[in-house]
Amino acid sequence: MAGADNRWWGPRSDYPWEEDALRHIHDQMPSAEPYRGWQTFTFTAQSGHVREVDLFIATPAGLFLVEIKSHPGRAVNQGGTWLFKQDDHVRAIENPLHLTNRKCQELKSQLGWAASKLGYRTRLPFIQAAVFLSAPDLRCDFDEVQAAMVFGRDGLTEQTGLPGIWAGLLGQPPRSGSNRVDPALSRQLEKLLQKIGVQGLRKHRKVGPFELAPRAFDTGPTWEDYLAENPALPGDQVRRIRIYLSNLNAPKSERDS
């Protein structure tokens, strides 16, 4: 997906519902400074984690990292567990805002490193985490704690019970001068992202004979778990593969450990 003026970058999502959610935001983004968006990419954090990003977007209101969840039906919460109920099916996930906020901190740290390496005297504002529940038929009954920084589709607030992702967040004026993104910073972001080595989401990674699923299903401070299959053995059971990570600046002894 790309705007006519090249203000939006990134490969198409492999998931139609996610691509539709991205287009919902893309089609509302003005073709003017300082608006820019980057979708479906990965970057490597200092921790060694390969972080997946649905959308990183610059608007006058600030820098935002938006996590997209497209589960349909009625959404309720039990503490920090979100339950999406449709017909006889229930899908449970943990509140993704916490991991998204960690990605924000890691991305800002890496962008700051890139600015230093490139000699930019750039003031990087705080990157704000947000969750976009994009299913068109969603009804959300989260309590006020779990509903924080959660948004639905624009124009459906009465149905979803959530503010629209554009009208309620991305299209708002900056809350403070420190959040504001000016055209100069917006123009530098592309070079900063290139410097830290962002790349499109890979469909498969390989470990030995095993092909890993595109996204980790569980993650910890020093590891990531993936579902994996051996393509040389059709019908073989799905395996769980754990990848151990080390900090990019860690000494050799720690990396070996």
Side-chain angles (χ1 to χ4, degrees), residues 145-208:
V145 173
Q146 294 299 307
M149 295 307 296
V150 178
F151 301 85
R153 284 187 177 250
D154 293 278
L156 295 180
T157 296
E158 286 191 13
Q159 171 197 302
T160 64
L162 297 170
I165 184 65
W166 190 269
L169 180 68
L170 303 177
Q172 289 284 310
R175 295 182 180 180
S176 70
S178 62
N179 289 340
R180 184 183 298 275
V181 175
D182 60 29
L185 170 59
S186 182
R187 285 190 293 266
Q188 289 176 348
L189 285 172
E190 180 68 11
K191 291 183 179 179
L192 296 179
L193 289 165
Q194 289 175 357
K195 182 67 176 175
I196 70 173
V198 303
Q199 52 189 296
L201 290 176
R202 289 165 288 182
K203 292 189 176 180
H204 290 287
R205 299 168 66 190
K206 293 200 74 175
V207 173

Side-chain angles (χ1 to χ4, degrees), residues 30-235:
S31 177
E33 294 287 6
Y35 295 95
R36 282 179 170 80
W38 294 264
Q39 71 172 59
T40 55
F41 66 87
T42 64
F43 71 96
T44 303
Q46 283 292 323
S47 64
H49 284 85
V50 177
R51 296 302 193 190
E52 299 168 352
V53 174
D54 294 335
L55 177 64
F56 176 54
I57 186 168
T59 78
L63 298 176
F64 300 92
L65 201 156
V66 180
E67 179 78 9
I68 295 171
K69 299 297 181 186
S70 302
H71 309 305
R74 178 172 175 255
V76 298
N77 72 282
Q78 293 179 356
T81 301
W82 294 2
L83 304 174
F84 296 84
K85 303 178 179 181
Q86 186 182 46
D87 300 327
D88 296 328
H89 303 286
V90 179
R91 175 72 181 268
I93 65 172
E94 294 305 306
N95 184 339
L97 189 65
H98 307 291
L99 178 56
T100 306
N101 188 60
R102 187 188 308 165
K103 292 179 188 179
C104 290
Q105 296 167 356
E106 293 170 338
L107 181 57
K108 182 179 178 183
S109 174
Q110 294 296 71
L111 292 176
W113 169 86
S116 175
K117 291 295 183 181
L118 293 172
Y120 292 165
R121 294 183 177 180
T122 300
R123 178 198 58 80
L124 286 169
F126 175 75
I127 301 175
Q128 177 68 63
V131 178
F132 178 24
L133 299 184
S134 66
D137 67 348
L138 178 80
R139 291 187 300 114
C140 185
D141 293 319
F142 291 165
D143 62 37
E144 62 266 24
V145 173
Q146 294 299 307
M149 295 307 296
V150 178
F151 301 85
R153 284 187 177 250
D154 293 278
L156 295 180
T157 296
E158 286 191 13
Q159 171 197 302
T160 64
L162 297 170
I165 184 65
W166 190 269
L169 180 68
L170 303 177
Q172 289 284 310
R175 295 182 180 180
S176 70
S178 62
N179 289 340
R180 184 183 298 275
V181 175
D182 60 29
L185 170 59
S186 182
R187 285 190 293 266
Q188 289 176 348
L189 285 172
E190 180 68 11
K191 291 183 179 179
L192 296 179
L193 289 165
Q194 289 175 357
K195 182 67 176 175
I196 70 173
V198 303
Q199 52 189 296
L201 290 176
R202 289 165 288 182
K203 292 189 176 180
H204 290 287
R205 299 168 66 190
K206 293 200 74 175
V207 173
F210 295 100
E211 283 192 350
L212 275 59
R215 303 190 178 194
F217 71 86
D218 199 6
T219 183
T222 60
W223 51 268
E224 293 174 335
D225 283 353
Y226 292 83
L227 295 178
E229 295 181 331
N230 186 344
L233 298 174

Side-chain angles (χ1 to χ4, degrees), residues 230-247:
N230 186 344
L233 298 174
D236 189 34
Q237 69 184 67
V238 175
R239 310 302 175 102
R240 174 180 182 146
I241 299 244
R242 173 163 291 186
I243 295 178
Y244 290 93
L245 311 165
S246 63
N247 191 291

